[in-house]
Amino acid sequence: MQTRFIAFLFSAALFTACQSETAEPLVTGPEPMPYHIERDSIETGSYLDIAIGDEAAAVYPKIQALQAPKGVSALHVVSNIFSDLSPLRESIPLYEYILLDENQGTDTGVQITVKDGKVKAIYLNSGKKLDQWPEKQKAASSVRTGDDVAALYGKLANIRDMKNYSSKFQRIFLMTKNLSTTYDPAMGRSPQWYFGYATGQDAMDQIQVHFRAGKVAKIRIDHYSKY
């Protein structure tokens, strides 16, 4: 079954993210330009070889296979949130965007971007760019730009044990999956994954894969284009 409708979009955030690989913080900005969307919703059959009813673990390699033909560069995992760092030793190196914050969001929440196996950028939620977090701490107790992703868990564990920073581990968001790395079983608990790719000049598709009980329940395709 397929349904189609046309809508108006007044947020260009995803469109911009698909076109840019800069490690900018997530902050609000000027009023974006409107975009036009055509939207498809699929609840039977398949799309891009992703079939309704597929297990999450089976979907992941199918998305990995889209990197070369479609230019898919990242996979965003919704509600991939944890309150305990301890079981994430193997998971953290698999992600390119990590957010640490308190249960109620703060300006001092920490956004860590990883690229090519290294920490590329560190921002606070306020938009302040850092060379290391926490500032003025020794190397073993701070995350620094240029750090190897393999060292990230150990450094975060040391920071978590510091009284002044332990509250930043109340919510740990593993948000953007590195498609060159292996499947993370924790992804199977997410209700939705999404990714995007350019389809032409000032045009792109966003694919949302919705899960129910770890299986694909619906695929939504948003076709974005500028007016």
Side-chain angles (χ1 to χ4, degrees), residues 102-154:
E102 300 174 23
N103 286 327
Q104 293 188 342
T106 67
D107 283 346
T108 52
V110 183
Q111 304 174 27
I112 301 169
T113 302
V114 175
K115 190 70 175 177
D116 298 325
K118 304 285 185 181
V119 174
K120 180 179 181 180
I122 306 167
Y123 283 92
L124 299 183
N125 286 347
S126 64
K128 180 181 179 181
K129 187 175 183 179
L130 304 177
D131 293 323
Q132 71 172 71
W133 177 81
E135 297 179 278
K136 300 180 181 179
Q137 294 292 330
K138 295 181 179 179
S141 298
S142 64
V143 177
R144 301 181 175 192
T145 53
D147 279 349
D148 194 293
V149 70
L152 196 52
Y153 174 85

Side-chain angles (χ1 to χ4, degrees), residues 137-226:
Q137 294 292 330
K138 295 181 179 179
S141 298
S142 64
V143 177
R144 301 181 175 192
T145 53
D147 279 349
D148 194 293
V149 70
L152 196 52
Y153 174 85
K155 291 192 168 200
L156 292 175
N158 290 339
I159 298 167
R160 175 199 55 189
D161 293 339
M162 300 166 64
K163 182 178 179 180
N164 289 343
Y165 301 100
S166 60
S167 63
K168 296 306 176 193
F169 294 85
Q170 290 175 356
R171 291 195 301 172
I172 304 164
F173 298 78
L174 303 183
M175 301 176 72
T176 303
K177 183 70 174 62
N178 181 347
L179 285 172
S180 68
T181 61
T182 58
Y183 175 72
D184 179 12
M187 297 168 60
R189 300 184 295 107
S190 169
Q192 180 189 326
W193 304 349
Y194 67 94
F195 57 93
Y197 52 86
T199 56
Q201 182 68 30
D202 293 330
M204 68 161 287
D205 281 359
Q206 182 203 60
I207 314 301
Q208 299 178 15
V209 183
H210 295 259
F211 295 92
R212 186 181 302 118
K215 295 184 178 181
V216 178
K218 179 173 68 174
I219 302 170
R220 196 175 86 178
I221 308 101
D222 291 345
H223 309 281
Y224 291 68
S225 59
K226 277 188 176 180

Side-chain angles (χ1 to χ4, degrees), residues 13 31 33 46 48 61 73 77 86 117 139 154 163 191 193 196 215 217:
E31 188 71 18
M33 294 294 291
S46 64
L48 297 175
S73 60
V77 184
S86 300
K163 182 178 179 180
W193 304 349
K215 295 184 178 181

